[in-house]
Amino acid sequence: MASKKPIPLVVGNWKMNPSTLAEAKRLVVQLRTLARKFTPDVSVVVVPPSIYLSDLTRLSPSGRLQFGVQNVWPGSTGAQTGEISVSMASSCGATYVIIGHSERRASGETDEQIAAKYQSVAASKLTPILCVGEATRDPSGDYYAVVETQLTRALAGSKKAQLKRTVIAYEPVWAIGTGQTSTPADVEEMRLFIDKCLTKLFDRATARAVRVLYGGSVNQKNATELFIHGGVDGFLVGGASLRSAEFARIVASVSST
Ligand code: 13P
């Protein structure tokens, strides 16, 4: 039986932006109008700095605009200065958690830490967005092995039901914030490769349930082609998610309405 296509998902990763709560609130007010227009055909998620989370979720009580956090620490409470837990994120209105973003890997986050974070999010009600992606694209194709290793180390040992709720974000590091984007054909190939890896780790039905996003210099000009020909279920957007009109066009590019 053919599986139903999942609802497209567009996630705005604000990273360490904007610089004030007032600006963040203004952006959410603009985006909630957008969410009203496109949901339920598209799931729209905003991932602000977590210090803003409670104030921002209060501005969108309908739940149409969903929220996430950019990182968590495994465990619910404890002596971890500066960290937040899954239960804290959840109690402040987050429903998604980004795990293993390359900017965190670059500042020393290990595969073991990412696996522990994945386990703690997967065991909760929140949806994990696991980021994978190669630093460089070598002609010999070693980047496939890089992505397979990242997937295997983060996901090995997890339950099929948890994986089915997981989102994988393929974000080649060289494309992040550089204006250089993967071609739709390369994105499609990587999507198929991720399906293959997940089938090997779990099984075909489980792999097919997993949503795969592309991230890396997605903008209003390239989004439609990447979505149609890249075979992905949506996008993880950085810089362009801070400009509401451009983010709206990216969301429109994955919507059938
Ligand atoms: P840019 O869209 O700015 O390249 O960032 C992508 C990203 O890192 C999203 O998590």
Side-chain angles (χ1 to χ4, degrees):
M1 199 174 68
S3 51
K4 226 171 89 206
K5 224 177 149 24
I7 294 169
L9 169 65
V10 180
V11 183
N13 176 11
W14 287 5
K15 306 189 181 183
M16 199 171 73
N17 296 290
S19 59
T20 65
L21 175 61
E23 286 173 81
K25 283 180 169 177
R26 269 198 296 278
L27 197 47
V28 162
V29 167
Q30 290 161 357
L31 294 178
R32 75 183 175 197
T33 313
L34 159 82
R36 226 176 281 135
K37 181 163 174 208
F38 289 105
T39 54
D41 296 324
V42 182
S43 297
V44 185
V45 181
V46 165
V47 189
S50 52
I51 195 165
Y52 296 157
L53 190 62
S54 292
D55 285 279
L56 299 185
T57 53
R58 251 180 257 129
L59 289 177
S60 185
S62 71
R64 285 187 154 203
L65 188 60
Q66 297 179 79
F67 291 87
V69 290
Q70 300 172 15
N71 181 41
V72 284
W73 191 264
S76 57
T77 53
Q80 297 296 343
T81 302
E83 302 290 351
I84 61 163
S85 68
V86 174
S87 53
M88 291 172 190
S90 174
S91 70
C92 293
T95 48
Y96 286 79
V97 182
I98 295 177
I99 302 164
H101 192 281
S102 62
E103 286 151 13
R104 297 199 57 82
R105 293 182 191 259
S107 57
E109 195 164 277
T110 64
D111 286 332
E112 290 68 32
Q113 287 171 327
I114 291 166
K117 290 176 184 198
Y118 175 76
Q119 283 308 326
S120 75
V121 180
S124 76
K125 287 202 179 90
L126 305 195
T127 302
I129 303 176
L130 174 68
C131 300
V132 296
E134 75 282 2
T136 53
R137 189 159 262 245
D138 52 302
S140 54
D142 286 347
Y143 48 89
Y144 284 115
V146 170
V147 169
E148 181 163 20
T149 303
Q150 290 172 337
L151 287 171
T152 306
R153 292 197 177 149
L155 300 173
S158 30
K159 300 191 177 83
K160 287 180 191 173
Q162 294 175 338
L163 193 82
K164 285 182 181 171
R165 298 194 303 107
T166 296
V167 176
I168 305 287
Y170 169 57
E171 293 207 308
V173 182
W174 53 267
I176 295 178
T178 60
Q180 278 180 275
T181 322
S182 260
T183 64
D186 285 346
V187 171
E188 188 184 28
E189 229 173 276
M190 185 55 83
R191 202 255 141 90
L192 294 173
F193 179 73
I194 291 170
D195 283 349
K196 207 168 100 182
C197 293
L198 298 178
T199 302
K200 204 153 93 177
L201 282 171
F202 297 89
D203 56 43
R204 194 160 165 67
T206 307
R208 293 193 77 167
V210 175
R211 285 171 293 173
V212 177
L213 309 182
Y214 169 76
S217 296
V218 175
N219 59 39
Q220 58 190 2
K221 292 202 186 97
N222 59 27
T224 302
E225 226 190 304
L226 281 166
F227 183 68
I228 294 174
H229 301 296
V232 283
D233 302 302
F235 298 117
L236 180 53
V237 186
S241 69
L242 296 163
R243 299 183 288 273
S244 57
E246 176 152 20
F247 192 59
R249 285 187 203 107
I250 294 170
V251 172
S253 74
V254 307
S255 168
S256 54
T257 54

